[in-house]
């Protein structure tokens, strides 16, 4: 099976280079059938933020999918979700995410808490390997990306995968118009 590649980035088969990704990402990849189609690429960690990375490596924002973590409460119960949206959009937190989670108010999880609970670095949080009690909402437009760039759990690497695989991550829910 051929692993995805993009631009000038050097693609490596992720299953042969699990040492390059965050620990929870590596654990999830080991048991996920889709991992055979995933590549890992090393990047300058100072360029991990989407805009800087796409400019530095000559990539398109249309290939990048960002993962943000939100939370809300209903009846004293906290509901957390990771939202994956194309980089040229932002998650519709105040409307669609709030309704999907069935909460009165949804807001971004603090950076410290998102990092601690995911076990991933800020700027590297990815939909692969998230805590089992978090929902995973994936914008339908991300599924249509030929080669999607997502975090790898660390700032020094990114994962490349066919966008359709985002819908196949265990627990993923594809949501229309999640990104606005």
């Amino acid at each position: 099976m051929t692993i995805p590649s993009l631009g000038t980035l050097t693609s490596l088969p992720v299953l042969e280079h699990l040492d390059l990704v965050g620990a929870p990402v590596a654990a999830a990849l080991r048991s996920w059938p889709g991992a055979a189609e995933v590549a890992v690429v090393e990047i300058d960690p100072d360029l991990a933020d989407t805009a800087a990375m796409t400019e530095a490596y000559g990539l398109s924002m249309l290939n990048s999918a960002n993962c943000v973590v939100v939370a809300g409460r209903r009846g004293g119960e906290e509901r957390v979700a990771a939202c994956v949206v194309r980089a040229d959009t932002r998650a519709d937190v105040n409307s669609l995410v709030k309704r999907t989670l069935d909460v009165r108010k949804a807001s971004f999880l603090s950076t410290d808490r998102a990092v601690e609970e995911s076990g991933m670095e800020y700027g590297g949080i990815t939909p692969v390997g998230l805590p089992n009690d978090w929902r995973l909402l994936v914008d339908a437009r991300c599924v249509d990306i030929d080669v999607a760039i997502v975090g790898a759990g660390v700032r020094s690497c990114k994962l490349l995968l066919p966008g359709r695989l985002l819908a196949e991550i265990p627990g993923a829910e594809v949501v229309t118009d999640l990104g606005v």
Side-chain angles (χ1 to χ4, degrees):
M1 186 164 299
T2 304
I3 59 167
S5 63
L6 203 57
T8 61
L9 298 169
T10 302
S11 294
L12 303 169
V14 73
L15 290 175
E16 295 174 21
H17 299 277
L18 291 173
D19 57 310
L20 296 177
V21 304
V25 179
L29 288 166
R30 281 186 190 96
S31 62
W32 183 41
E37 295 181 66
V38 178
V40 62
V41 296
E42 293 184 84
I43 63 163
D44 180 337
D46 292 334
L47 301 172
D49 295 325
T50 304
M53 181 196 62
T54 54
E55 183 176 336
Y57 294 100
L59 305 171
S60 170
M61 293 287 275
L62 299 178
N63 286 102
S64 291
N66 291 334
C67 184
V68 297
V69 184
V70 298
R73 291 194 171 279
R74 168 67 76 173
E77 173 196 354
E78 183 178 55
R79 299 172 184 185
V80 179
C83 301
V84 181
V85 296
R86 222 173 47 197
D88 65 332
T89 67
R90 58 182 174 74
D92 186 4
V93 174
N94 294 319
S95 185
L96 186 59
V97 174
K98 182 176 80 169
R99 284 194 316 271
T100 302
L101 292 179
D102 190 26
V103 295
R104 191 175 63 77
K105 178 184 174 197
S107 55
F108 293 101
L109 211 58
S110 74
T111 301
D112 290 343
R113 198 168 151 213
V115 166
E116 180 181 333
E117 292 183 20
S118 70
M120 300 178 201
E121 295 177 3
Y122 177 73
I125 294 177
T126 185
V128 180
L130 293 169
N132 290 332
D133 57 341
W134 289 7
R135 288 179 71 181
L136 174 56
L137 309 178
V138 178
D139 187 290
R141 286 171 283 204
C142 291
V143 177
D144 294 331
I145 300 172
D146 287 334
V147 177
I149 305 166
V150 297
V154 295
R155 290 183 63 84
S156 60
C157 290
K158 296 289 183 182
L159 298 178
L160 303 182
L161 67 159
R164 67 176 167 69
L165 286 181
L166 293 169
E168 297 176 22
I169 296 171
E173 303 170 48
V174 177
V175 180
T176 302
D177 296 327
L178 179 63
V180 293

